[in-house]
Amino acid sequence: MVGGRPSLLKTTTTSINMKPPFTPFLILKTTEYNNKMKKLLKEGLYKIIKRNPLNRIIKLVNDETKKAILDEKTKTTIPTTVPRLPRIYGVPKIHKNDVPLRPIVSAINSPTYNLEGHLARILKTNIRKTSSYMKNSTDFVEKLQQTNWEERDILVSFDVVSLFTIVPVRDTLNIIKEKKWIDEKLQGLLEICTKTTVFTYQDTIYEQTDGMAMGSRLAPVFANIFMEWFETEAMSTYTQKPKMWLRYVDNTFVLWQHGVDKLHSFLQHLNSIHANIEFTMETEENGKLPFLDVMVKKQPNGKFGTAVYRKSTHTDRYLHADSHHCPSQKMGLLHTMATRAVRIADEDHVNEEKHTYDKH
């Protein structure tokens, strides 16, 4: 796939999708990429800034750091040595129609980069403690193995549309404040990080007026904090609850036992709780539903079967054995693939994975 940063787009070839036995790939014209980025930046979340805010943000961070209760070592590591404004680029979503771009903000060496890391480490200790929390795909599979399904149960997945860019920052800050998850003297630093989301694109400076930027070190933490509040609110205000509700950030796996009609009512309920949050829904087909990188299957014995899931855009291309990559990288790739197969695939599907790898 080609189409990350503008500097990498040297071709004038249009988008291509080759049929098997070729592998599908995407090439964007530089002009097409730029047009998609400009269209994205014209949306309501972004506005152009005429004056460079870099020095102002540096001063805000330095002044607020002096007021905060921090040990001397932390105070010396928070300021960025050679600060610069973050930069935005778009990653093509090749599995979606019209290939929209996912905005990523590279914030390394930004004035708040080290500060965000420090605050994120503090806040992380307060989240991921709910019964719905999933650490990863392995954790998901382990939870499935402890559950049985019944005839009336429907496999469902809910996904929040573009959560990071629309996560309600003010509401999340209020949640943190109410729960006293961070010292009051650090609250000012937290607000600086969330209210100074600026970046450059083609020598133009933009500000994000709401939400969090993908690339921010606080974004995953804020997303989890808000979604933990959201799911508590959703469950406490609806009478018919799912048999199972497991969440990985904005992706939720549900076992629903109240029928299809009530399921659509539940989706409407989820989408009525907060103006920023909109869920999409996918239900099982032939007793199967993909979730994260796991294909979940209903087994006749009431248990769940699991296999490794790959999207239709998966290329099946890996490092060539004769490439000049370091041997440790090649072995690491093999180890990763084998570990994923063992942890995700059940006994009936491990051999399928082995045959998949044998092809390469």
Side-chain angles (χ1 to χ4, degrees):
M1 180 182 75
V2 179
R5 300 174 185 270
S7 59
L8 299 179
L9 299 172
K10 302 299 184 183
T11 180
T12 57
T13 308
T14 55
S15 301
I16 299 174
N17 191 5
M18 304 180 76
K19 297 179 179 179
F22 300 103
T23 304
F25 64 95
L26 177 75
I27 300 176
L28 287 177
K29 288 182 179 179
T30 302
T31 53
E32 185 180 354
Y33 172 86
N34 288 333
N35 288 338
K36 286 178 180 287
M37 283 298 297
K38 289 175 182 177
K39 181 181 177 182
L40 186 153
L41 291 170
K42 283 182 180 178
E43 295 176 358
L45 287 176
Y46 308 106
K47 69 177 183 180
I48 294 176
I49 299 178
K50 293 183 179 179
R51 295 182 63 181
N52 190 328
L54 182 62
N55 291 333
R56 177 177 63 83
I57 297 172
I58 293 171
K59 187 176 186 307
L60 282 173
V61 172
N62 290 339
D63 290 349
E64 202 65 36
T65 300
K66 292 174 183 176
K67 300 177 189 176
I69 301 175
L70 298 168
D71 59 75
E72 289 304 315
K73 183 179 179 181
T74 304
K75 282 188 176 183
T76 57
T77 56
I78 280 179
T80 304
T81 307
V82 185
R84 65 169 179 80
L85 287 178
R87 290 171 288 181
I88 194 171
Y89 61 97
V91 176
K93 302 180 184 180
I94 61 173
H95 59 290
K96 293 193 175 183
N97 293 333
D98 197 35
V99 194
L101 298 179
R102 175 181 285 110
I104 309 292
V105 175
S106 175
I108 297 173
N109 291 329
S110 70
T112 62
Y113 185 74
N114 294 335
L115 175 58
E116 287 185 21
H118 176 70
L119 296 173
R121 284 189 290 272
I122 295 173
L123 290 171
K124 278 180 184 178
T125 61
N126 299 291
I127 59 175
R128 302 172 180 175
K129 297 177 181 179
T130 62
S131 58
S132 66
Y133 169 70
M134 283 187 292
K135 183 179 180 181
N136 49 34
S137 297
T138 305
D139 189 27
F140 172 56
V141 170
E142 290 174 355
K143 285 178 167 62
L144 278 181
Q145 291 172 347
Q146 300 168 16
T147 308
N148 290 344
W149 66 273
E150 300 177 71
E151 189 64 33
R152 61 180 180 173
D153 294 339
I154 304 172
L155 303 180
V156 188
S157 68
F158 293 110
D159 183 20
V160 181
V161 178
S162 303
L163 175 62
F164 280 29
T165 53
I166 52 85
V167 64
V169 172
R170 173 49 56 190
D171 291 344
T172 308
L173 286 170
N174 288 337
I175 292 168
I176 294 169
K177 192 172 184 178
E178 288 172 10
K179 292 182 178 290
K180 298 180 179 179
W181 281 350
I182 203 163
D183 190 280
E184 288 184 7
K185 293 291 181 71
L186 295 177
Q187 194 76 24
L189 287 170
L190 190 61
E191 296 206 10
I192 290 172
C193 291
T194 55
K195 293 180 179 179
T196 56
T197 303
V198 295
F199 51 81
T200 61
Y201 181 72
Q202 291 188 334
D203 299 323
T204 301
I205 302 173
Y206 294 85
E207 178 183 17
Q208 185 168 329
T209 57
D210 197 8
M212 303 288 288
M214 293 190 71
S216 163
R217 301 173 84 176
L218 280 169
V221 184
F222 266 55
N224 268 303
I225 289 171
F226 181 78
M227 288 307 299
E228 285 183 7
W229 171 87
F230 182 94
E231 64 188 11
T232 301
E233 185 72 12
M235 296 303 169
S236 64
T237 54
Y238 202 74
T239 53
Q240 294 169 317
K241 298 173 176 54
K243 184 176 180 178
M244 172 185 279
W245 173 283
L246 298 174
R247 183 180 55 82
Y248 182 80
V249 191
D250 60 338
N251 296 285
T252 307
F253 180 86
V254 169
L255 201 57
W256 183 260
Q257 76 275 36
H258 303 296
V260 176
D261 291 341
K262 298 284 177 60
L263 176 59
H264 287 281
S265 297
F266 183 62
L267 175 61
Q268 291 176 357
H269 169 67
L270 292 177
N271 287 336
S272 69
I273 293 174
H274 197 285
N276 285 35
I277 304 300
E278 179 187 356
F279 282 87
T280 58
M281 181 177 73
E282 183 179 358
T283 56
E284 66 177 75
E285 289 188 13
N286 301 318
K288 300 179 183 179
L289 181 71
F291 185 74
L292 304 180
D293 58 348
V294 182
M295 176 61 76
V296 182
K297 304 179 181 182
K298 287 179 174 177
Q299 303 282 53
N301 61 358
K303 297 290 186 180
F304 291 106
T306 53
V308 174
Y309 169 70
R310 297 173 178 83
K311 290 183 178 180
S312 58
T313 52
H314 180 72
T315 63
D316 258 345
R317 286 187 171 180
Y318 303 98
L319 293 181
H320 196 283
D322 295 331
S323 71
H324 292 287
H325 286 81
C326 177
S328 63
Q329 290 179 299
K330 298 176 186 177
M331 291 304 298
L333 174 61
L334 292 173
H335 181 268
T336 298
M337 294 171 69
T339 301
R340 182 175 66 168
V342 170
R343 290 180 177 176
I344 290 179
D346 58 29
E347 292 182 6
D348 295 333
H349 295 97
V350 167
N351 285 333
E352 290 181 13
E353 280 299 296
K354 182 178 181 296
H355 292 318
T356 300
Y357 302 150
D358 288 342
K359 295 176 185 176
H360 302 284

